[in-house]
Amino acid sequence: MNTTQKLIFAITSHEALGIILEPFVVSVHSDGQFFFGLRKVNSGNITGFFPEASREELLALAKCDEYREDLLVKQFSKKRITPREFYKELSEERFRKIIRPFIEKRLISCMEILAAERIPLYFKGGRKEILKEKPLLVELCKVEVMMNFERLGEETRYCLSALCKEKEVNLFGENSLLITRRPCYAILNEAIYRFPDNFDGSKLEPFFRKEFISVPKRAEKEFFQTFVKNAILDHKIRHSGFAIDYKKEKCRPLLKFETSLDGEPVFGLYFTYGSKIIAANHTGEKFVDLLWDKQVEMVVIERDLEEEAEIRSLLSAGKLVNSAGHLFTPREGSSKVSGMYPLLEWINKNHDLIDSCGITILNETNYFQGRIELTIHVEEGNDWFDVKAFAHFGEFMIPLIQLKKYLLNEIREYPLPTGEIAILPHEWFAKYREPLQLGEKEGDFLRLQKHQYALVEKLDSSGNQKFRKVFESLKEKKLSSKLSLPAGLNATLRPYQEKGFSWLHFLYANQLGGCLADDMGLGKTIQVLALLLKIKEESQVKKSEGAVSNFQFTLFGGAGDNLPPAHTSLVVMPLSLVHNWESEIRKFAPGLRYWKHTGTNRIQYKNGFYNYDVILATYGIIRNDLELLREVQFHHIILDESQFVKNPESKAYQAIRLLNARHRIVLTGTPIENSLVDLWSQMSFLNPGLLGSLNLFRNEYVIPVEKQNNEAKKESLKQLIEPFILRRTKLLVAKDLPDLVEKIHYCEMSEEQKSLYESRKSEIRNRIFEKMETPGQAGVKIDILQGLMQLRLIANHPGLTGDGSGMKSGKFEEIIRYLDNLRAEGHKVLIFSQFVRHLALFRDWFNLHNLQYSWLTGEVSEKERKKVIQEFQSSCEKNLFLISLRAGGTGLNLTSADYVFILDPWWNPAVEKQAINRAHRIGQTRNVISYKFITKDSVEEKILLLQLKKEKLAEDFINTNNPFRIFSDTEILQLFE
């Protein structure tokens, strides 16, 4: 009789591993009978016995290999031992928790492969038992489990029913066998059944040998409380002797203060159904309560998962972030926003959401959980606003002004009369800090001046529309209508100058002070003269007609209701500008009567000033004649080059603040020269109180902006001052000016100059470092500045120091070469240096070579200064002008020159630009070329690099003549490397 080889998979019982699936090769007669000489096979030797194995059979073989004894020992033991020794050392707990789950996972994969491919599965049993030739039936459908509970008088009976294809499967039987627990596979009635994934197969085993389990009466309650309750949650139930009541309860959310794993306060989200509270991240879809009285009742409540999801969505939309069942608010603002504050603040803000969702808050602390709101009403005074603001904490109404110390000192907790603690909203601190700081207390109200309207808008964005229109016009520099120029103006203003004139008049009409901060050379003087002339003409019309027509509306009243009659205006300036103002009044506004209150021709009596429209005076004269001038009621006070009063502690500033005027204007090309304090000085003159006290301004703006680069503070300050500053740069009005070309020319040092420079640099550096390392030594910064001065002088010319007498300068020779070429071409050149002795070297050279030139330093008198300027402007022979930066940086109109030489770089590039603007200004018809001469490998080159590095900060806020203000100590010391 012929035989063939066949690969089979059989369920066996291993003495140590339990029920497993093993592959064998068996010989089969042609009539289908098995020879019982079984051979165990694996993936390594199967081809020697049965080369025809299919892909699926090989996959099943591979799964069986994974729990083969030798491989199992190798994987789970670090020792080289036999399987018998491994089993002997293996604890029952380790086998149950680790080894058996590992095996069952592979058993299940193997059986799923066999079932899917209809590969028969056989039963063998123990090692000595004979393989049964009839294959087991594998039922592919999952068995449905029914749990049966019958409560009798003295006991409760529990059993299981299993249904497959709507037919009951008998669990009881000698051949019933559990193969795996979860998912559960079991042999019942010579067939293999698969149970639901969530069913624990260990629950079957008791019923393989008995039909039911009896629970005695004494253990019933615990049995119902645990086992029956869980059974109802997970399985179908048949019951008798007790009731199961399915109820629908309304889902109500609950927020509870808890602590997260990282120690942060959070909300725990829960849902209540009747008396039952469950965590939001609980996975069950229903829960059961046991009612144990005379009658036993199991109450089953199904969760409203759609309602829970909707509540989660609403909370998320309300800015609560869900993480692992905990809710928290995103962190915003400063690090001080921490702890419970964000949660309490969320409650205070979201009562509409809390009420609509029916949320209950559980908080055992004494914090106030009611609504917190702020109501603001702004009332208009003659030239101020009264802000009536009240904070509402539930039934309590507290004036906002009473919260000032809390909001300014960032104190979040405010005690209420009930003893509860209210948490002040985080945004109040940023939003109301400035109004509370800069406003004045007036009873329970906050009073703000008219020029502080930007703060009023922060408090109440729905404020007076007229105010808003005025300040938006100022802020955007978009005036409602074009103002006609005064008839007596002997000039045609450029478009940007007309706009500046209209802007100044708009400020005047609305009784506000302003800063005209156009670049040097753009005609600030003529814009102011046009304003003064316009005011005079309007006043004359008013007097002659007895009424006002065609005037712009003022901020506080109708057309010109409060417009005062034109009186004397005072213009204060550096001495160097007096001639320029006198000249331009004569030329462009001859209708203005003016008086130069300088020298010995000063007015001696108060009423003497009222004979003139304009009084020209210097900052020095104001200090000297303060007692007289403070008695005069000026119509306008105009400060030209107002950076002269940048220091609030200076005598000039103190004197200016004591003068009386209805209107104020400042003119400057550099409103910020050293620090933001410069801005405070000028703004406090223009609109007193706008920026608060100096001490407040330093703490709130200067330190945060200059030291900490706080962008929020920078933006806030800009909003406050923006309406009152009009600035146009040359770039913005380039079409009205010829081109300006700025070049840097690098000069090599002569050999002897370089040797002297390096020697002196080493001496200075060593002295500074030695002093820095010596405790108690002072004056290091003075040594640094003196050292820098010496190096800069050598870089210019060794002859400027005592040790360099007779040496040559590479820069000097380059400049002379350039001047020779330019003179030959007929150009006029302005030559600027901050060192008068440097200019003197060129003067000596010009004298030696019989060259005509002009000379201007701080020692030149006002009368002589005027003569020098006129001669250079009109002379064809004098084409070289030597000027010190201090004397010639402002107040000069030298448009006859078309070249500007900057002989040495200065810390503040704005000073250099002012010098260039002496030639590149209105009235210039030719292109202007500027040369900055830099000595290579010297401190000058490094100063230039530092300027570029700090360019953005300098442009935004700081232009300074003090290197220690804009450069760190480290950067300054690097200049000596």
Side-chain angles (χ1 to χ4, degrees):
M1 190 176 291
N2 295 328
T3 62
T4 58
Q5 299 292 312
K6 182 175 182 179
L7 173 65
I8 65 168
F9 293 86
I11 293 173
T12 65
S13 178
H14 191 280
E15 294 88 340
L17 302 180
I19 301 301
I20 59 174
L21 196 59
E22 292 187 287
F24 298 94
V25 169
V26 62
S27 296
V28 182
H29 286 295
S30 57
D31 60 359
Q33 293 293 313
F34 285 2
F35 285 133
F36 294 106
L38 299 177
R39 295 185 182 88
K40 285 186 181 181
V41 291
N42 55 51
S43 299
N45 62 17
I46 183 63
T47 55
F49 296 100
F50 188 69
E52 295 87 2
S54 67
R55 176 179 174 276
E56 288 72 21
E57 288 172 325
L58 292 175
L59 286 173
L61 269 173
K63 289 296 176 185
C64 293
D65 281 350
E66 292 183 31
Y67 54 79
R68 206 172 70 203
E69 284 186 311
D70 56 336
L71 297 179
L72 203 62
V73 172
K74 188 174 181 181
Q75 179 161 344
F76 289 99
S77 177
K78 296 179 180 179
K79 302 177 183 178
R80 297 184 66 181
I81 56 176
T82 64
R84 184 180 296 276
E85 291 170 327
F86 173 71
Y87 300 143
K88 188 175 181 181
E89 293 180 358
L90 185 63
S91 69
E92 182 179 344
E93 183 180 13
R94 187 172 186 230
F95 174 76
R96 179 171 51 83
K97 290 185 176 180
I98 299 175
I99 306 298
R100 186 61 196 177
F102 176 85
I103 294 171
E104 288 195 1
K105 185 176 181 181
R106 281 129 188 98
L107 277 176
I108 291 165
S109 296
C110 187
M111 285 191 292
E112 287 176 348
I113 293 170
L114 299 177
E117 297 300 322
R118 303 280 183 177
I119 298 172
L121 185 59
Y122 298 85
F123 183 82
K124 181 179 182 299
R127 179 166 55 85
K128 295 181 180 180
E129 293 184 47
I130 299 173
L131 178 73
K132 293 182 179 180
E133 294 188 35
K134 182 180 178 182
L136 294 165
L137 175 65
V138 179
E139 291 288 355
L140 296 179
C141 70
K142 290 183 181 179
V143 175
E144 183 180 3
V145 177
M146 180 79 71
M147 289 189 168
N148 306 287
F149 299 95
E150 184 180 12
R151 187 170 183 261
L152 303 173
E154 298 300 321
E155 65 176 358
T156 294
R157 291 181 176 180
Y158 156 59
C159 66
L160 287 180
S161 299
L163 297 174
C164 182
K165 298 178 182 177
E166 299 183 354
K167 292 182 180 180
E168 190 160 342
V169 179
N170 187 20
L171 304 178
F172 184 79
E174 290 184 3
N175 296 326
S176 297
L177 181 68
L178 183 67
I179 302 174
T180 61
R181 282 170 173 74
R182 187 171 289 182
C184 174
Y185 281 87
I187 299 174
L188 305 171
N189 301 322
E190 298 185 346
I192 296 178
Y193 293 90
R194 189 184 192 282
F195 286 75
D197 291 346
N198 66 339
F199 183 75
D200 184 355
S202 60
K203 294 177 181 178
L204 287 176
E205 288 186 295
F207 303 104
F208 291 165
R209 303 294 176 260
K210 55 183 177 180
E211 294 183 357
F212 62 86
I213 293 174
S214 175
V215 179
K217 193 173 186 65
R218 66 178 183 277
E220 267 188 334
K221 188 172 183 180
E222 184 179 355
F223 179 67
F224 273 83
Q225 187 69 42
T226 55
F227 191 84
V228 178
K229 184 184 286 188
N230 289 330
I232 292 173
L233 292 174
D234 298 329
H235 303 285
K236 288 190 175 181
I237 302 294
R238 279 199 297 240
H239 67 285
S240 64
F242 65 94
I244 298 179
D245 185 13
Y246 290 87
K247 285 187 176 181
K248 275 196 173 281
E249 290 280 358
K250 184 170 178 60
C251 167
R252 294 187 179 276
L254 175 91
L255 292 178
K256 184 179 179 182
F257 283 82
E258 296 178 347
T259 303
S260 66
L261 292 176
D262 58 4
E264 280 293 318
V266 292
F267 284 135
L269 176 60
Y270 298 85
F271 295 104
T272 63
Y273 290 88
S275 61
K276 186 73 174 178
I277 300 176
I278 60 166
N281 59 347
H282 183 72
T283 55
E285 296 185 5
K286 56 188 176 182
F287 52 89
V288 180
D289 273 341
L290 171 64
L291 302 180
W292 193 269
D293 201 359
K294 292 180 181 180
Q295 300 293 325
V296 176
E297 182 180 6
M298 307 293 287
V299 179
V300 182
I301 300 175
E302 290 191 12
R303 294 171 67 178
D304 190 341
L305 298 179
E306 289 187 4
E307 176 68 11
E308 289 184 20
E310 177 65 20
I311 290 168
R312 281 194 187 91
S313 177
L314 290 171
L315 291 174
S316 177
K319 296 186 178 179
L320 280 182
V321 178
N322 190 341
S323 175
H326 286 140
L327 302 175
F328 60 90
T329 59
R331 294 291 183 258
E332 296 179 359
S334 70
S335 60
K336 294 184 180 181
V337 182
S338 60
M340 294 180 64
Y341 293 168
L343 304 182
L344 291 163
E345 191 171 345
W346 185 90
I347 294 172
N348 300 144
K349 287 181 179 179
N350 289 278
H351 271 272
D352 290 340
L353 174 61
I354 291 169
D355 293 343
S356 65
C357 292
I359 298 173
T360 300
I361 310 289
L362 287 184
N363 176 21
E364 298 177 355
T365 65
N366 196 34
Y367 286 111
F368 175 72
Q369 296 182 31
R371 293 176 187 269
I372 296 180
E373 298 174 317
L374 193 70
T375 57
I376 296 177
H377 175 65
V378 178
E379 292 186 357
E380 169 193 344
N382 288 332
D383 57 356
W384 68 80
F385 305 98
D386 280 337
V387 180
K388 300 182 178 181
F390 294 92
H392 300 266
F393 304 97
E395 63 185 83
F396 299 107
M397 185 171 74
I398 311 294
L400 181 65
I401 198 73
Q402 291 187 20
L403 304 179
K404 181 175 180 177
K405 74 172 184 178
Y406 294 86
L407 294 174
L408 296 190
N409 294 292
E410 298 194 30
I411 302 171
R412 298 294 303 275
E413 299 188 1
Y414 180 76
L416 296 175
T418 58
E420 292 178 292
I421 303 297
I423 303 304
L424 301 182
H426 180 247
E427 67 267 17
W428 286 13
F429 290 81
K431 189 171 184 180
Y432 305 123
R433 181 180 181 87
E434 284 179 334
L436 287 171
Q437 281 182 318
L438 300 175
E440 297 177 359
K441 186 177 184 298
E442 192 73 23
D444 284 341
F445 307 147
L446 179 68
R447 177 161 290 181
L448 294 167
Q449 301 301 314
K450 62 180 179 182
H451 48 251
Q452 294 174 312
Y453 182 71
L455 300 177
V456 176
E457 278 207 316
K458 279 193 172 186
L459 291 165
D460 183 13
S461 59
S462 61
N464 187 291
Q465 294 298 314
K466 183 170 66 176
F467 298 172
R468 179 178 299 166
K469 185 175 181 181
V470 167
F471 276 85
E472 283 181 356
S473 296
L474 288 173
K475 186 176 178 180
E476 301 298 328
K477 309 299 184 286
K478 294 178 180 177
L479 306 183
S480 56
S481 59
K482 185 176 179 181
L483 185 68
S484 61
L485 292 171
L489 184 68
N490 292 339
T492 300
L493 298 187
R494 290 172 169 78
Y496 75 87
Q497 291 173 328
E498 285 194 35
K499 183 176 180 179
F501 156 69
S502 296
W503 180 77
L504 289 171
H505 192 278
F506 192 78
L507 286 171
Y508 155 72
N510 288 288
Q511 301 175 25
L512 297 167
C515 171
L516 183 58
D518 289 345
D519 268 356
M520 294 287 181
L522 295 188
K524 293 188 288 293
T525 304
I526 197 170
Q527 295 174 63
V528 171
L529 291 177
L531 171 71
L532 297 180
L533 202 55
K534 181 71 173 180
I535 293 171
K536 181 175 182 178
E537 292 179 3
E538 288 174 342
S539 178
Q540 291 170 343
V541 170
K542 185 176 181 180
K543 287 179 181 178
S544 63
E545 296 183 355
V548 180
S549 61
N550 298 324
F551 283 124
Q552 297 184 46
F553 278 91
T554 64
L555 186 58
F556 299 97
D561 287 347
N562 295 314
L563 189 67
H567 289 298
T568 304
S569 293
L570 174 67
V571 185
V572 188
M573 67 200 77
L575 179 61
S576 61
L577 296 185
V578 173
H579 164 68
N580 186 63
W581 272 90
E582 181 182 15
S583 174
E584 300 217 352
I585 291 174
R586 287 176 174 175
K587 182 177 181 181
F588 300 122
L592 291 176
R593 294 170 299 165
Y594 75 92
W595 181 262
K596 282 199 308 178
H597 187 71
T598 61
T600 58
N601 295 322
R602 306 209 295 272
I603 297 172
Q604 301 298 314
Y605 303 100
K606 180 181 76 170
N607 291 337
F609 292 98
Y610 299 136
N611 295 319
Y612 303 96
D613 299 312
V614 180
I615 302 295
L616 305 179
T618 67
Y619 289 101
I621 292 295
I622 297 299
R623 293 198 304 272
N624 295 335
D625 292 357
L626 180 60
E627 292 305 314
L628 172 63
L629 292 170
R630 66 187 299 181
E631 296 179 10
V632 182
Q633 178 63 51
F634 291 107
H635 185 261
H636 264 89
I637 292 181
I638 300 155
L639 304 185
D640 197 0
E641 298 296 345
S642 59
Q643 68 271 19
F644 271 72
V645 294
K646 65 191 176 187
N647 181 0
E649 297 176 1
S650 67
K651 291 182 179 179
Y653 173 79
Q654 299 296 337
I656 289 293
R657 285 298 304 270
L658 293 174
L659 300 180
N660 297 304
R662 297 188 184 94
H663 309 281
R664 297 164 187 246
I665 298 171
V666 300
L667 309 175
T668 177
T670 52
I672 303 171
E673 207 173 44
N674 288 339
S675 164
L676 288 179
V677 173
D678 300 354
L679 186 66
W680 181 88
S681 303
Q682 293 164 86
M683 284 296 158
S684 295
F685 165 76
L686 289 173
N687 298 305
L690 175 66
L691 301 178
S693 70
L694 178 57
N695 188 51
L696 183 152
F697 184 74
R698 282 194 173 114
N699 291 330
E700 289 298 314
Y701 299 105
V702 178
I703 293 173
V705 172
E706 292 187 4
K707 303 296 184 184
Q708 301 161 4
N709 196 29
N710 186 315
E711 289 295 331
K713 286 289 185 182
K714 186 185 295 186
E715 185 59 33
S716 181
L717 177 57
K718 284 182 178 178
Q719 288 178 6
L720 282 173
I721 65 173
E722 192 172 19
F724 310 111
I725 297 180
L726 178 62
R727 175 164 178 75
R728 279 80 59 88
T729 65
K730 286 184 178 179
L731 289 176
L732 293 176
V733 295
K735 60 185 178 182
D736 292 312
L737 284 170
D739 288 342
L740 169 65
V741 179
E742 297 185 74
K743 296 182 178 182
I744 296 174
H745 183 76
Y746 291 95
C747 308
E748 297 284 352
M749 287 192 245
S750 67
E751 289 300 323
E752 50 191 359
Q753 181 183 17
K754 189 165 188 175
S755 177
L756 176 62
Y757 182 90
E758 292 299 329
S759 174
R760 186 62 55 83
K761 183 176 73 171
S762 296
E763 293 174 10
I764 296 169
R765 182 176 62 239
N766 294 339
R767 184 171 68 249
I768 290 171
F769 287 168
E770 181 180 351
K771 204 165 188 179
M772 291 176 67
E773 293 171 0
T774 303
Q777 290 291 334
V780 175
K781 286 190 176 181
I782 294 176
D783 284 350
I784 291 174
L785 290 174
Q786 289 177 345
L788 288 174
M789 176 72 77
Q790 290 183 50
L791 294 181
R792 296 180 67 212
L793 289 172
I794 296 171
N796 277 329
H797 199 297
L800 297 176
T801 66
D803 298 337
S805 178
M807 293 184 184
K808 291 185 177 181
S809 164
K811 178 190 284 190
F812 184 85
E813 292 182 357
E814 275 292 282
I815 293 170
I816 292 298
R817 183 173 65 83
Y818 266 70
L819 289 175
D820 285 342
N821 291 334
L822 292 175
R823 284 191 306 104
E825 295 171 1
H827 295 286
K828 283 196 168 191
V829 187
L830 306 182
I831 306 166
F832 285 95
S833 174
Q834 62 188 292
F835 302 112
V836 174
R837 54 185 130 168
H838 193 196
L839 296 175
L841 290 179
F842 287 92
R843 179 184 61 184
D844 293 345
W845 194 90
F846 295 162
N847 287 334
L848 182 63
H849 292 81
N850 298 318
L851 300 179
Q852 293 194 44
Y853 60 89
S854 297
W855 172 269
L856 181 61
T857 67
E859 297 177 355
V860 176
S861 68
E862 180 187 356
K863 184 176 181 180
E864 184 64 23
R865 177 189 178 95
K866 178 178 178 181
K867 179 181 177 183
V868 169
I869 294 169
Q870 288 177 342
E871 282 183 355
F872 179 78
Q873 284 285 86
S874 59
S875 173
C876 296
E877 290 78 21
K878 289 189 176 182
N879 53 13
L880 302 172
F881 201 158
L882 295 165
I883 313 173
S884 69
L885 276 176
R886 183 179 295 275
T890 59
L892 297 181
N893 188 336
L894 300 171
T895 52
S896 64
D898 57 348
Y899 277 82
V900 180
F901 281 14
I902 306 294
L903 302 191
D904 30 57
W906 188 225
W907 302 109
N908 183 357
V911 174
E912 297 171 1
K913 290 188 179 298
Q914 287 175 349
I916 295 170
N917 288 340
R918 300 309 99 218
H920 191 242
R921 59 192 298 116
I922 296 300
Q924 179 63 266
T925 58
R926 294 169 294 173
N927 293 340
V928 175
I929 299 176
S930 165
Y931 280 98
K932 185 188 296 186
F933 291 90
I934 302 294
T935 300
K936 286 194 68 178
D937 301 322
S938 77
V939 67
E940 291 186 342
E941 197 170 18
K942 293 177 180 179
I943 289 173
L944 198 62
L945 291 174
L946 283 179
Q947 285 180 345
L948 295 174
K949 184 178 179 182
K950 300 288 184 175
E951 185 174 7
K952 185 180 185 303
L953 182 60
E955 280 298 317
D956 280 348
F957 285 114
I958 303 173
N959 288 316
T960 180
N961 295 327
N962 183 349
F964 285 105
R965 282 190 179 273
I966 55 173
F967 306 130
S968 67
D969 291 354
T970 301
E971 289 172 321
I972 292 293
L973 290 174
Q974 286 174 352
L975 296 173
F976 295 98
E977 293 179 355

